[in-house]
Amino acid sequence: LPKVDEVVEAFRSWDVDGTGTIGKAELTELIRTLAPGILDEEIGRLFEAAAEDGLRVDDVRYEELLRWIWATDALGAGTGEGDSAPAGRDGGPLWDATYAAALQDSVARHPPEKREKVVEYFDTVSSRMRSDDYSERIKNTMFKKLDTDRDGKISFPEAAGFIGKALRCAADLSGAGARPAASEVRAAFDAHDPRAGGMLDEDEFLALVRYLQVLVAKAALPFSRVID
């Protein structure tokens, strides 16, 4: 399949209701994955240009928008070089270890002339995930959205759908295509629940999101303009 068709299929994994649409905030996060280093201003200009061409940019018809992006190379100018983020405890050891393994594996899979660009891609992903803006967005928006009973914790039932979507997105982008097993979804949650209490606080949920973001970022690497 052409690349755009593969990305459309990945987006369909997020569309559990089969509506053909995706929220603007969710789409923005996926664009950041496909184009690490893209600025909020550039994403804003992308939506403005799409609207000028008659596309919906609120409740987005993602296939229509993706094909427009590919046809106009609208993400081409948005990719850039990121600064390497310092190592630290922020985010917890699992996502750090997963990030290190993803970087090592991706570098090994590319020819020598592409390896510096692969490192730049992952540096940008790491820098963004370690930023205060990213942490605040996850804690103040995503966490609160999933915390449906407003108890200040995320339970497995509250997180399962989100985890499944992220794992399916990574599988579709990588070409695996298989839906994640229930045991995989549960294992991802449990790995970030150190007290085994079935609940995640804000920091534990942030670590989970970063872990899933690494999986999606690794799978999205072949589609990135960064290594073209």
Side-chain angles (χ1 to χ4, degrees), residues 33 101-103 105-106 109 121-122 213-222:
T33 295
L103 172 59
D105 181 63
S106 297
R109 289 174 180 270
Y121 171 89
F122 277 97
Q213 181 80 68
V214 169
L215 300 183
V216 174
K218 179 185 178 184
L221 174 61

Side-chain angles (χ1 to χ4, degrees), residues 152-173:
K153 301 284 185 180
I154 298 293
S155 66
F156 176 69
E158 289 172 328
F162 165 73
I163 297 170
K165 286 180 181 181
L167 293 177
R168 178 66 188 273
C169 183
D172 284 343
L173 286 170

Side-chain angles (χ1 to χ4, degrees), residues 139 143 152-154 192-195 199-207:
K139 291 180 178 181
F143 184 92
K153 301 284 185 180
I154 298 293
H192 295 85
D193 179 17
R195 297 176 302 278
M199 294 285 191
L200 304 183
D201 62 22
E202 286 186 346
D203 289 330
E204 291 158 354
F205 179 72
L206 174 61

